[in-house]
């Protein structure tokens, strides 16, 4: 006997002890069948028989007071209505799951993604990983699923992956000053690597505005690189940019993973260290539907110093160090744009001659084992 029948029987015992057992049993069977049946056009013969019998018993005064008009009947109606609503809801959920099981949290069928990894997002990175992400099943990225076959599919979307740690005072630097440094660092990362205008190759004005104009070497290098790029003035050292005439992003999601830390720096400053990897799915603008990905890891050290003690601009960041590892972009091309490699297009720039590396491996320092020259990637 299912839970619905048991619930109805309990109602019979506790609320309607004067109803004859044979009448109630027929009512239970017919009610249960009614609930399960899908919108019958007319009552079944058995239902009509039970209804008529109850009507006659009511006319003879054989049913307890309140069977149709009192609290007992109202309670039964609300329970029947609840089961009806639940039935519709369950049906809708089942239909949605059949179309897209990933919409239901926790993977109710106990399955995994086609790549063999659970599709739930990864928690925020709080320390350096101990190894590279495991290999994914061989899946080709598409316009509908640009992160297929990539470990980044479980990474956070865009700015959500740049988690600012909770600020606290350090060595005489106030909590407010630490918080300001962290927020400015996040803004610089977002405007340099995630802002749609920056990705389209436009001038990253908001990112430049975060940098101290008094730090003329850094600002001068970037300004020159944006205006007239070459091998000594490359805007890609700070900004992620694609040539809009040749390449466009697929969708509006860039996958992001990394971490940010802070400490008391020199020069009465708050020092912030950021280490993030960005994954960009892109397609050519020539009508091809082939999707590939460019993966960039950036390490950035910045400070915000006390303007009362040093010649700095209040509320601006000073860049202490920057480094980057750009994967799946043409070698020795210095036009200020990233140039992803597509199997359906001719290669831009010289062939790579360096070692093969995994662009998703965040377990090693960026400069560990770095070789001169342009290498190859084990996966994109």
């Amino acid at each position: 006997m299912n839970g619905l029948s048991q619930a109805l029987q309990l109602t019979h015992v506790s609320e309607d002890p004067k109803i004859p057992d044979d009448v109630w049993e027929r009512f239970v069977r017919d009610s249960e069948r009614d609930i399960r049946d899908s919108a019958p056009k007319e009552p079944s013969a058995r239902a009509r028989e039970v209804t008529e019998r109850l009507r006659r018993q009511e006319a003879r005064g054989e049913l307890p007071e309140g069977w149709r008009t009192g609290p007992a009947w109202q309670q039964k109606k609300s329970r029947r209505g609840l089961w009806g609503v639940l039935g519709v809801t369950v049906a809708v959920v089942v239909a949605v799951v059949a179309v897209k099981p990933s919409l239901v949290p926790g993977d109710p069928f106990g399955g995994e993604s086609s790549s063999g990894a659970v599709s739930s997002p990864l928690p925020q990175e709080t320390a350096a990983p101990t190894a590279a992400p495991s290999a994914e099943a061989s899946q080709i990225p598409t316009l509908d699923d640009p992160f297929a076959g990539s470990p980044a599919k479980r990474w956070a979307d865009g700015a959500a992956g740049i988690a600012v740690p909770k600020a606290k005072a350090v060595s005489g630097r106030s909590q407010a000053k630490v918080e300001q440094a962290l927020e400015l660092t996040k803004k610089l990362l977002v405007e340099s690597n995630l802002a749609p205008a920056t990705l389209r190759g436009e001038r990253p004005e908001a990112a430049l505005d975060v940098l101290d104009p008094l730090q003329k070497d850094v600002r001068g290098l970037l300004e020159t690189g944006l205006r007239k790029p070459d091998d000594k003035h490359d805007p890609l050292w700070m900004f992620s940019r694609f040539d809009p005439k040749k390449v466009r992003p697929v969708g509006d999601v860039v996958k992001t993973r990394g971490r940010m830390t802070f400490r008391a720096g020199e020069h009465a400053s708050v020092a912030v260290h950021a280490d993030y990897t960005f994954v960009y799915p892109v397609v050519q603008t020539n009508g091809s539907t082939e999707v590939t990905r460019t993966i960039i890891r950036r390490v950035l050290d910045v400070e915000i110093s006390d303007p009362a003690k040093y010649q700095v601009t209040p509320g601006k960041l000073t860049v202490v160090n920057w480094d980057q590892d750009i994967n799946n972009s043409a070698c020795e091309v210095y036009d200020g744009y990233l140039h992803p490699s597509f199997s359906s297009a001719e290669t831009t720039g010289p062939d790579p001659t360096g070692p093969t590396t995994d662009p998703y491996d965040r377990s090693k320092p960026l400069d560990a084992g770095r070789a001169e020259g342009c290498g190859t990637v084990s996966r994109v």
Side-chain angles (χ1 to χ4, degrees), residues 327-346:
N327 299 275
N328 191 23
S329 183
C331 300
E332 300 179 23
V333 178
Y334 303 106
D335 61 356
Y337 297 116
L338 297 160
H339 292 275
S341 176
F342 295 88
S343 61
S344 59
E346 294 185 5

Side-chain angles (χ1 to χ4, degrees), residues 79 86 91 119 150 156 173 187 208 211 243 257 295 297 302 340 354 363:
R79 289 182 181 175
L86 289 177
S119 60
S150 166
R173 286 68 164 174
K187 182 177 181 180
L208 291 169
L211 303 177
D243 186 344
R257 185 155 183 81
I295 302 102
R297 182 180 175 188
V302 294
S363 65

